[in-house]
């Protein structure tokens, strides 16, 4: 289905060409003076230069041609040559009704050539509890993935676990110090290793920081950890078994938290999974003469002629032959290309890693791992700061675990919701959690991803203002009206969206009609914040409409039915948008 702006522009093109001007000037935009008009066209001003004419004359001529249009109720030329446009109610009503009939997509067309697109997000390191620092990658990545999928592509979210660094050697050595008798450390052991993990998640969460601390303070321990890492990476039997336990215990725990956040990965691959691809990849780079030795390490130049500053060479293998962050990221691209034929890969990672990704993309292209037409993009996000403007910390200065953050907000929201005594306990808990997720995600996503933002929980959890709970509150209000309408014995969808009967109704329709344009922009720019801004304006327009009009129980039953149809579209548009943002609405609050 064409977007409303396409229809408006088409009509204006007709006006320009019938008046004898190039139709390329018929560029229309949403009005920046909503008090004066709904859409506007400034094309006469640009055309004036080419035709050496007074812009006002051109605008007047164009307006004459479209005076009988059934799209515009007002098309007027105003000084110095703007064309101000207002839409006919019937046209707008028909458009929104077509959205209503297209139940799943509300008129938003799928891309004509679907692609296979990877979204690499999450990226936690194993054996460490998820903390607030992991929030942005999860929240933004999940939304970007959903936006890509809704556009009609195959979207694959891959968590890309950090499971291949020296931290594993540190964990192994610390465990050995604590439980030296475990068979994994006995090189003469040839039997079957126990099925059960030798540690629980809470032990593992203690082992990791201890090992990491020791490694910094104690040179011997550090060397042992490096050696253990090397052994693990070269197939040590006991360590490989331990590694499996580390991943399993850690992933089970992570999954719980990501599930609570409504973040779901299609793939749970990690750096370790790239190992089988590394030797061939390195050999190929050597054969192509792309890598050379520098201080014992294997490096690749990634400079390009237009660079203003020279880039340091990219280390492909460490001097001990071990792979590093670059190696595993390159190896990951190998299987994403070979096994999935990915057309595009997006990385949702802290923006401080921009140099890493710039070099990675260049190396991947240079080495032919990705064909020239494969599109790679780094979506770097900014820092989540506390109210003091510094990176967010708990009251006593520590990093806050995601689990405690979720528990705290769940409880706080529960206290608010429980005040409505009609809501049973279980539903109140579930609703509280939905509000919690909306608060966190909307608070984050309503900011442009690349910017730093203030993680202000008091604001995010407020039921008023531009917040997740306000959005849910509005949806719940719509649901409740629709429910009451049905309970009164009416069929929903008994009517169609018709010509608006008053200003607030028209204003709501105007906002809704922009749905597919907003979706397209959010997709093109991979920008969830555009959806947030739209959702907010829909809620605002709806609440105005709601306060200005009695909806249920009016005498004019046709009008009531028409309002209900409009509410149905509003509800569906909002539900679709929040789904793309990654949260859900309860039935009541
Ligand atoms: N584990 C990494 C870190 O903690 C983030 C991974 C991001 N994704 C990637 N493909 N490099 O910094």
């Amino acid at each position: 289905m064409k977007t409303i702006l396409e229809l408006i522009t088409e009509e204006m093109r007709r006006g320009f060409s019938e008046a004898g001007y190039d139709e390329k000037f018929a560029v229309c935009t949403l009005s920046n003076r909503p008090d004066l008009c709904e859409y506007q066209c400034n094309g006469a001003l640009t055309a004036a230069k080419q035709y050496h004419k007074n812009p006002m004359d051109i605008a007047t001529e164009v307006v004459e041609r479209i005076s009988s249009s059934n799209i515009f109720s007002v098309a007027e030329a105003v000084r110095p040559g703007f064309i101000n446009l207002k839409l006919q109610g019937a046209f707008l009503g028909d458009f929104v009704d077509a959205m209503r009939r297209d139940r799943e997509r509300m008129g938003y067309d799928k891309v004509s050539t679907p692609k296979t697109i990877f979204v690499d997000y999450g990226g936690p390191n194993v054996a460490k509890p998820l903390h607030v620092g992991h929030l942005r990658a999860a929240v933004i990545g999940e939304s970007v993935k959903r936006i890509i999928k809704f556009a009609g592509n195959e979207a694959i979210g891959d968590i890309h676990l950090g499971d291949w660094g020296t931290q594993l050697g540190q964990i192994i050595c610390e465990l050995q110090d604590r439980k030296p008798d475990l068979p994994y450390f006995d090189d003469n052991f040839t039997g079957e290793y126990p099925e059960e993990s030798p540690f629980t998640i809470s032990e593992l969460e203690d082992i990791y920081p201890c090992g990491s601390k020791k490694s910094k303070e104690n040179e011997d321990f550090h060397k042992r950890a490096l050696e253990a890492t090397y052994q693990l990476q070269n197939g040590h039997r006991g360590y490989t078994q331990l590694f499996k336990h580390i991943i399993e215990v850690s992933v089970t725990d992570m999954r719980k938290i990501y599930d609570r956040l409504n973040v779901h990965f299609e793939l749970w691959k990690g750096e370790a999974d790239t190992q089988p691809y590394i030797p061939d990849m390195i050999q190929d780079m050597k054969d192509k003469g792309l890598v050379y030795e520098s201080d014992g390490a294997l490096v690749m130049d990634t400079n390009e002629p237009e660079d203003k500053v020279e880039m340091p060479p990219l280390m492909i293998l460490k001097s001990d032959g071990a792979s590093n962050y670059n190696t595993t990221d390159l190896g990951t691209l190998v299987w994403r290309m070979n096994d999935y034929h990915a057309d595009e890969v997006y990385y949702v990672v802290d923006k401080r890693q921009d140099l890493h990704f710039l070099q990675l993309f260049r190396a991947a292209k240079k080495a032919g791992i990705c064909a020239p037409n494969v599109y790679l993009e780094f979506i770097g996000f900014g820092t989540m700061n506390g109210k003091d403007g510094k990176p967010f910390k708990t009251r006593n200065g520590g990093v806050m675990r995601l689990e405690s953050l979720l528990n705290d907000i769940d409880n706080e929201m529960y206290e608010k919701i429980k005040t409505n005594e009609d809501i049973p306990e279980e539903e109140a808990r579930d609703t509280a959690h939905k509000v919690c997720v909306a608060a966190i995600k909307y608070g984050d996503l309503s900011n442009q991803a690349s910017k730093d933002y203030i993680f202000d929980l008091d604001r995010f959890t407020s039921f008023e203002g531009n917040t997740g709970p306000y959005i849910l509150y509005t949806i719940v209000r719509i649901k409740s009206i629709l429910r009451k309408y049905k309970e009164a014995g009416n069929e929903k969808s008994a009517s169609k969206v018709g010509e608006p009967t008053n200003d607030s109704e028209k204003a709501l329709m105007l906002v809704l009609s922009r749905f597919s344009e907003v979706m397209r922009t959010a997709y093109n720019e991979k920008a969830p914040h555009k959806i947030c801004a739209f959702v907010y304006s829909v809620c605002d327009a709806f609440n105005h409409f709601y306060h200005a009009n009695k909806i249920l129980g009016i005498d004019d039953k046709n009008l009531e039915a028409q309002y209900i149809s409009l509410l149905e579209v509003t509800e569906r548009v909002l539900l679709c948008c929040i789904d793309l943002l990654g949260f859900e609405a309860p039935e009541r609050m």
Side-chain angles (χ1 to χ4, degrees):
M1 189 168 133
K2 283 183 184 150
T3 70
I4 193 125
L5 195 59
E6 280 165 355
L7 294 172
I8 293 170
T9 308
E10 252 173 32
E11 189 73 342
M12 283 309 278
R13 277 205 210 106
R14 184 178 67 75
F16 271 82
S17 86
E18 282 182 15
Y21 301 104
D22 193 329
E23 55 174 39
K24 73 171 185 217
F25 294 111
V27 180
C28 299
T29 56
L30 201 62
S31 161
N32 55 19
R33 287 289 306 272
D35 50 326
L36 298 179
C37 59
E38 294 157 359
Y39 283 86
Q40 68 187 60
C41 171
N42 300 350
L45 296 163
T46 6
K49 296 190 191 94
Q50 178 174 324
Y51 294 98
H52 305 292
K53 277 181 103 167
N54 180 340
M56 195 59 194
D57 292 343
I58 300 181
T60 312
E61 288 169 51
V62 172
V63 160
E64 269 166 29
R65 306 292 158 156
I66 52 170
S67 59
S68 59
S69 157
N70 51 17
I71 291 190
F72 306 120
S73 60
V74 173
E76 56 181 3
V78 292
R79 274 179 205 292
F82 299 118
I83 300 174
N84 285 354
L85 303 166
K86 283 191 186 172
L87 303 186
Q88 282 198 17
F91 164 75
L92 184 60
D94 283 348
F95 187 88
V96 177
D97 196 61
M99 287 175 65
R100 182 185 65 87
R101 292 193 307 271
D102 184 9
R103 296 188 63 89
E104 298 295 322
R105 306 192 57 84
M106 284 79 69
Y108 175 48
D109 288 342
K110 291 191 177 175
V111 290
S112 47
T113 16
K115 293 179 183 151
T116 300
I117 301 179
F118 266 85
V119 183
D120 180 314
Y121 66 106
N125 295 334
V126 292
K128 241 191 189 174
L130 294 177
H131 54 82
V132 289
H134 294 108
L135 200 53
R136 294 212 80 189
V139 169
I140 301 167
E142 180 74 17
S143 178
V144 166
K145 180 186 76 186
R146 290 174 184 222
I147 291 169
I148 290 173
K149 195 179 210 156
F150 187 52
N153 301 288
E154 186 188 352
I156 305 172
D158 182 11
I159 186 165
H160 199 76
L161 291 170
D163 57 4
W164 202 242
T166 36
Q167 81 266 30
L168 288 149
Q170 294 165 0
I171 295 170
I172 291 171
C173 292
E174 175 63 21
L175 183 69
Q176 184 172 27
D177 288 358
R178 293 183 183 201
K179 305 183 180 178
D181 298 335
L182 288 172
Y184 311 96
F185 306 115
D186 176 1
D187 285 341
N188 299 320
F189 184 80
T190 50
E192 290 278 314
Y193 291 110
E195 293 256 314
E196 204 173 314
S197 165
F199 42 74
T200 62
I201 181 68
S202 28
E203 279 175 287
L204 184 58
E205 284 174 0
D206 187 51
I207 292 172
Y208 181 45
C210 281
S212 155
K213 186 158 170 264
K214 267 197 206 165
S215 213
K216 279 184 203 114
E217 292 167 355
N218 178 332
E219 185 56 27
D220 279 347
F221 185 90
H222 179 64
K223 282 201 187 121
R224 274 176 58 209
L226 287 182
E227 173 61 19
T229 311
Y230 181 82
Q231 301 239 357
L232 167 68
Q233 299 192 345
N234 287 281
H236 184 286
R237 194 169 156 260
Y239 295 174
T240 306
Q241 205 54 35
L242 267 183
F243 173 76
K244 285 190 187 145
H245 287 305
I246 297 173
I247 301 297
E248 198 183 271
V249 167
S250 172
V251 162
T252 309
D253 188 60
M254 281 178 186
R255 213 186 265 273
K256 273 193 239 149
I257 308 292
Y258 281 122
D259 276 348
R260 274 179 81 180
L261 268 175
N262 204 8
V263 167
H264 310 283
F265 300 94
E266 278 69 22
L267 295 178
W268 284 77
K269 298 266 196 188
E271 296 166 350
D273 291 303
T274 63
Q275 293 316 301
Y277 304 92
I278 308 263
D280 283 355
M281 177 181 90
I282 300 288
Q283 191 55 50
D284 188 57
M285 288 175 180
K286 286 183 179 161
D287 294 346
K288 289 177 175 155
L290 296 171
V291 284
Y292 59 93
E293 250 183 62
S294 165
D295 292 334
L298 197 67
V299 301
M300 184 194 283
D301 282 329
T302 58
N303 284 296
E304 278 175 14
E306 65 271 18
D307 289 351
K308 293 204 177 67
V309 276
E310 195 167 330
M311 238 176 248
L314 184 70
M315 192 195 285
I316 305 282
L317 282 183
K318 293 197 268 191
S319 51
D320 61 0
S323 47
N324 65 8
Y325 193 44
N326 304 321
T327 333
T328 49
D329 256 335
L330 284 166
T332 303
L333 280 170
V334 172
W335 65 257
R336 285 181 184 162
M337 296 301 134
N338 292 352
D339 301 350
Y340 289 84
H341 309 287
D343 299 297
E344 298 179 3
V345 184
Y346 294 86
Y347 294 85
V348 183
V349 184
D350 189 310
K351 71 178 174 194
R352 285 169 293 190
Q353 294 197 21
D354 58 349
L355 179 63
H356 165 73
F357 285 101
L358 180 61
Q359 290 196 291
L360 173 72
F361 297 167
R362 288 183 177 187
K365 292 277 165 115
K366 207 170 161 180
I369 295 171
C370 298
N373 61 350
V374 170
Y375 183 74
L376 305 170
E377 187 180 320
F378 172 55
I379 303 180
F381 54 78
T383 308
M384 190 172 127
N385 288 324
K387 281 189 204 171
D388 58 0
K390 300 200 190 96
F392 183 84
K393 291 266 155 61
T394 54
R395 275 196 193 91
N396 47 32
V399 276
M400 186 182 272
R401 294 177 60 151
L402 266 186
E403 192 176 8
S404 0
L405 179 80
L406 289 172
N407 291 346
D408 289 356
I409 311 179
D410 271 359
N411 288 334
E412 197 187 316
M413 294 301 107
Y414 173 74
E415 293 302 324
K416 278 200 196 182
I417 282 158
K418 211 179 54 176
T419 51
N420 180 346
E421 282 160 11
D422 295 341
I423 301 187
E425 170 73 13
E426 200 183 323
E427 188 186 336
R429 288 276 169 206
D430 180 62
T431 300
H433 183 60
K434 284 183 171 137
V435 179
C436 156
V437 174
I440 296 178
K441 288 194 167 184
Y442 191 87
D444 186 320
L445 294 171
S446 50
N447 303 282
Q448 195 174 331
S450 60
K451 300 225 168 92
D452 297 351
Y453 82 110
I454 308 265
F455 190 73
D456 181 350
L457 271 180
D458 294 330
R459 188 168 77 73
F460 294 176
T461 54
S462 160
F463 283 41
E464 278 148 45
N466 188 4
T467 69
Y470 165 74
I471 307 297
L472 294 191
Y473 197 79
T474 307
I475 296 176
V476 163
R477 174 174 275 168
I478 299 173
K479 283 186 179 217
S480 138
I481 300 172
L482 292 175
R483 203 169 32 232
K484 282 190 191 130
Y485 185 71
K486 220 175 146 190
E487 278 163 13
N490 297 297
E491 238 346 277
K492 283 209 273 170
S493 294
S495 179
K496 61 194 272 295
V497 177
E499 202 171 324
T501 52
N502 59 60
D503 286 352
S504 64
E505 190 185 6
K506 187 175 189 192
L508 175 57
M509 288 186 188
L510 276 169
V511 179
L512 290 172
S513 68
R514 290 174 38 221
F515 175 74
S516 42
E517 254 132 44
V518 175
M519 292 304 114
R520 196 174 287 178
T521 313
Y523 169 62
N524 287 340
E525 299 173 13
K526 311 291 174 287
H529 72 282
K530 298 260 158 114
I531 297 184
C532 290
F534 174 70
V535 164
Y536 184 61
S537 48
V538 172
C539 288
D540 229 26
F542 168 75
N543 284 317
H544 272 110
F545 168 72
Y546 171 81
H547 290 297
N549 300 283
K550 189 162 163 31
I551 300 172
L552 290 180
I554 49 178
D555 292 337
D556 185 341
K557 289 297 155 201
N558 286 334
L559 185 61
E560 184 187 44
Q562 172 176 323
Y563 282 166
I564 291 298
S565 298
L566 180 59
L567 258 62
E568 282 175 7
V569 188
T570 313
E571 181 196 32
R572 249 185 282 136
V573 161
L574 288 174
L575 289 178
C576 175
C577 287
I578 65 166
D579 182 55
L580 294 178
L581 298 174
F583 56 91
E584 293 167 89
E587 284 309 306
R588 44 193 183 158
M589 269 163 86

